[in-house]
Amino acid sequence: MSQMERKTAGVPTLKRLPLYLRLLRKMKEDGENYASGTVVAKELGLDPIVVRKDLAITGAVGRPRLGFPMDEIISAIEEYLGWSNTSDAFLVGVGSMGTALLGYKGFEQHGMRIVAAFDSNPAIIGTTVHGKTVLDVAKMPELARRMHVQIGILTVTASVAQGVADKMIEGGIRAIWNFTPTSLDVPEHVILQREELASSLAVLSHRLLVENSL
Amino acid sequence: MSQMERKTAGVPTLKRLPLYLRLLRKMKEDGENYASGTVVAKELGLDPIVVRKDLAITGAVGRPRLGFPMDEIISAIEEYLGWSNTSDAFLVGVGSMGTALLGYKGFEQHGMRIVAAFDSNPAIIGTTVHGKTVLDVAKMPELARRMHVQIGILTVTASVAQGVADKMIEGGIRAIWNFTPTSLDVPEHVILQREELASSLAVLSHRLLVENSL
DNA sequence: TTTAATAAGATATTTTAATATCGATTTCGG
DNA sequence: CCGAAATCGATATTAAAATATCTTATTAAA
């Protein structure tokens, strides 16, 4: 059928892959040449079968008794996630969350680089946050188009989220990482990734409640 | 069997409940007296059947043709999540992420209140961040025990995460919200909720890659 | 008062993810 | 050099979630 046989992984698998990658990179630094699914599973507290199946989907091939060659498995995961080439991203909304994300050094290891930050507040525009000068959000769409930026990080107030998202799409941005508590309305072809702190908190709260009522 | 018939919801359901709650609160403000699963579903871009089943699990009972009485459905969700009484939380690690979380005003509406912040850096201890004075982390375990704090928010550097988690548990904390990229090792009875930015990014990256290769 | 429309609630089906089982292969210890 | 132990990889089973179907209750409009 297709020339590039890329098996489709489910969301749970995709979410585990970065955990493997982080551990494997550390193991490599420690001088390990092979990593078995068994070891990875034990280290992360997961089921070995899950790990094996997840790793299999990247196309990596392991050796009995030894596991997966370290370099191969690491690049297989990176390739699969599209992290072998870093993508550029724009961040809009330099509030608490935006500032925190600008300060996070790890994104480059996850295939992404925040190349510019934007805000609408004149008091913030022109200031430097974590080494990046904050630009006027009005210039964002055109810049996005000129620089072929594909990823937009949305850390604005909920009330303006939809408007800013529209501007991102206008600038040709294809994927929006949404940190606002807003259900965005976007065209079919735009990828939405919602980050919901409240959802995680709900899981935690409910578990706590159940435990307390035992 | 049990006097309190609390049906067990899966994680996906738990994660959707806060979305409903947020929308319902807004609808209530707008003067609506009833909310139907159909309307909620359309507003959030979800399947109506999913919404109905999720709402059913909270024990709320709706009326045909009208939907769920607004006040009842809102308190049903809050009760179910344990958000009708706010729980106290300690935050440890006042870096970028910790500062961002301290600045987030919405937690009170999600059943949680950050009552104190801690750090180990002498340059940070004593300063005030978003209205809260940062305390020495050395005092955290004893304070946690005295104040019966149940939730610990972990926003420290990866390398010290396990040690701080141990101290939290020593102080009687029962649930840890882990924002560090570390696989924590905790006793059976401690609830762990991991927040993985890399996982979300992985889903986004992979989708972008697939779309680009079409 | 009757009827059509809407939505809850129950049941059934399909799909997806997690878990278990087994055989084949290769390294390593004896 | 040979056998035991470990691991991959494939297949099968179970469990959970999403989706679909159908019935019934109730309201609002004709």
Side-chain angles (χ1 to χ4, degrees), chain A residues 23-87:
Chain A
L23 174 63
L24 292 167
R25 282 172 174 162
K26 194 162 76 181
M27 288 172 70
K28 183 186 155 110
E29 273 188 19
D30 293 350
E32 304 280 350
N33 290 318
Y34 288 89
S36 77
T38 316
V39 170
V40 170
K42 188 179 291 180
E43 205 71 27
L44 297 175
L46 296 172
D47 188 320
I49 305 163
V50 171
V51 176
R52 271 217 306 277
K53 279 182 66 174
D54 287 346
L55 295 181
I57 221 168
T58 66
V61 48
R63 294 172 60 178
R65 191 74 200 253
L66 284 176
F68 297 82
M70 195 59 82
D71 293 318
E72 285 182 29
I73 186 63
I74 288 178
S75 12
I77 297 176
E78 289 175 341
E79 287 285 335
Y80 190 82
L81 293 177
W83 288 3
S84 30
N85 303 308
T86 59
S87 312

Side-chain angles (χ1 to χ4, degrees), chain B residues 16-89:
Chain B
R16 283 188 297 263
L17 287 177
L19 309 185
Y20 306 152
L21 188 56
R22 185 183 301 133
L23 174 63
L24 292 167
R25 282 172 174 161
K26 194 162 74 180
M27 288 173 70
K28 183 187 155 111
E29 273 188 20
D30 292 350
E32 303 279 351
N33 290 318
Y34 289 89
S36 76
T38 316
V39 170
V40 171
K42 188 179 292 181
E43 205 70 27
L44 298 174
L46 296 173
D47 188 319
I49 305 163
V50 171
V51 177
R52 271 217 306 277
K53 279 182 67 173
D54 288 345
L55 295 180
I57 219 168
T58 66
V61 46
R63 295 171 60 180
R65 190 73 201 256
L66 284 176
F68 296 83
M70 195 59 83
D71 294 317
E72 285 181 30
I73 185 62
I74 288 178
S75 14
I77 297 175
E78 289 174 342
E79 288 284 334
Y80 189 83
L81 293 176
W83 287 2
S84 31
N85 302 308
T86 59
S87 310
D88 289 348

Side-chain angles (χ1 to χ4, degrees), chain B residues 106-118:
Chain B
F107 286 134
E108 307 248 345
Q109 299 210 311
H110 300 89
M112 194 180 77
R113 178 175 37 223
I114 302 179
V115 292
F118 300 86

